[in-house]
Amino acid sequence: MTEPSGDSGKRSRPVAVPVLALVTLTAVGIAALLGGFDERPATPPPRLKAGQSLDMGKFEARFIESKVTTEPATSQFTEDKRFLDVVFKVTNKTDETLVVGSPPNDKSPGYSFGGALLKMTPQLKSEFGGQLFVLSKDVKSSQLHPDVPATVIARYELEGTATPPEQVTYDVGAYEEMENPLTGVVTWLLPSEGGFVGKAEVKKVAATVTLPVKQEGTS
């Protein structure tokens, strides 16, 4: 019989790969999985000031002013109270009436419009944290009706003789519609960043807003 031609009888020799190369490839793969070696600095969110507006997905908000106000004592047994008020003009962009919510505090991340006020600097320490309400013709409420611009007040009590800050800055988030892949239900959520190894998950900042604080007796 004729023997088959070729070198099929020879064994191929394994290719040696340096250990250092394997380690490098593994490190690159892990880095790519966790976001890659991005040397470019993250683009900072836009900086807004009084009078400017922000599309927050579920809401449209214009940042009006920040000021110190005084609530007179209601009887001889009580005292005047001082507050730092931050004033917004907020429009509910959905088709349903929504509550205005509350800003974050030590016990809660906040919710609704208030939940998008991610962080306030400086943080004003008070017994009950910030209050959020809709003000219309001197009447307080908690409702934001569809497509109706409403005056919203974030109120922080100034305890005792505390000196109000010269300005306040908010990190503000923006809601996005996100679909549950299992149920198909679409929900408005504040997107997050991080959550990888060594990085805590935090809410994504859509803009920072700085407002000078009008002291009592100024206009």
Side-chain angles (χ1 to χ4, degrees), residues 24-40:
T24 302
L25 288 173
T26 303
V28 170
I30 294 175
L33 180 62
L34 298 181
F37 293 111
D38 190 357
E39 296 180 356
R40 295 172 299 174

Side-chain angles (χ1 to χ4, degrees), residues 78-146:
T78 60
E79 298 180 349
D80 294 349
K81 292 183 178 180
R82 294 184 308 138
F83 301 95
L84 187 148
D85 285 356
V86 182
V87 185
F88 310 86
K89 184 67 74 172
V90 179
T91 302
N92 170 11
K93 295 169 58 181
T94 74
D95 297 328
E96 301 177 355
T97 296
L98 303 173
V99 294
V100 71
S102 66
N105 55 45
D106 294 339
K107 299 179 180 179
S108 168
Y111 65 100
S112 194
F113 172 73
L117 304 177
L118 304 177
K119 180 182 177 183
M120 181 182 184
T121 305
Q123 291 184 327
L124 301 180
K125 299 296 183 181
S126 62
E127 184 178 357
F128 302 106
Q131 302 175 11
L132 203 62
F133 56 87
V134 177
L135 187 64
S136 177
K137 298 180 180 180
D138 294 327
V139 177
K140 296 179 182 180
S141 74
S142 62
Q143 294 185 329
L144 293 170
H145 299 288

Side-chain angles (χ1 to χ4, degrees), residues 65-70 82-86 120 122 124 156 158 161-168 211-219:
E65 64 177 350
S66 179
K67 58 185 179 180
V68 176
T69 60
T70 299
R82 294 184 308 138
F83 301 95
L84 187 148
D85 285 356
V86 182
M120 181 182 184
L124 301 180
Y156 305 86
L158 296 170
T161 59
T163 302
E166 295 183 356
Q167 66 179 27
V168 293
L211 303 170
V213 177
K214 296 180 180 179
Q215 308 297 323
E216 291 176 290
T218 64
S219 61

